[in-house]
Each structure stands twice: as structure tokens, then as C-alpha cells.
Amino acid sequence: SMPGSVWKVLVTPGQAVRKGDVLIIEESMKMEFSQLAPCDGIVAAVLVKPGDEVFTGQLIVGITNESESVVTAV
């Protein structure tokens, strides 16, 4: 939701997540911001690592929502 750098990645591919779980912690403007799962599902891919710069709207984690067979980008 905002530009910054990845401080911590808290999920791995194959991990089950619930809506609202923290996926990564981002540092921006000397503050920490949690990026949350928008839905229940399984982490299909983690596309960032600690230290990576991220930008508003960038895909950081792919979540497969098995009940609907879709991939949600966060």
C-alpha cells in the first residue's frame, strides 16, 4: 500500500494463511507497516526478500484461494 523496504518476510510457499495474517513487515519513513493477507488460502509464492525495495501496488505474495481456484495478489 506504500513504498518502502521489506524488513521481514513472515510466510513461506505452501503455508496456510487466514485473512488478516501478517505476510511481511515493511519499513517506510522510519516506521513499520504490516502487509496483511486479504483472504484465507495457501501461499503460492513469495516474491520479495528482506532488503528489497517495494512500491505501491507491487505483487509481494501470491495466495491461492483453493475454494475458488484463484490466485490473489497482495
Side-chain angles (χ1 to χ4, degrees):
S1 60
M2 67 176 33
S5 63
V6 176
W7 184 56
K8 283 187 180 180
V9 176
L10 303 175
V11 295
T12 58
Q15 180 178 338
V17 293
R18 308 273 290 156
K19 182 176 181 176
D21 284 353
V22 178
L23 303 172
I24 72 164
I25 300 173
E26 175 186 346
E27 187 278 323
S28 183
M29 299 179 290
K30 298 185 181 183
M31 296 175 58
E32 294 176 11
F33 297 91
S34 297
Q35 300 298 325
L36 308 177
C39 62
D40 295 351
I42 305 295
V43 175
V46 177
L47 304 170
V48 295
K49 62 186 180 310
D52 284 354
E53 293 294 318
V54 291
F55 304 94
T56 303
Q58 178 179 342
L59 178 63
I60 56 173
V61 175
I63 299 173
T64 301
N65 183 329
E66 292 181 344
S67 65
E68 297 177 15
S69 297
V70 299
V71 174
T72 301
V74 238

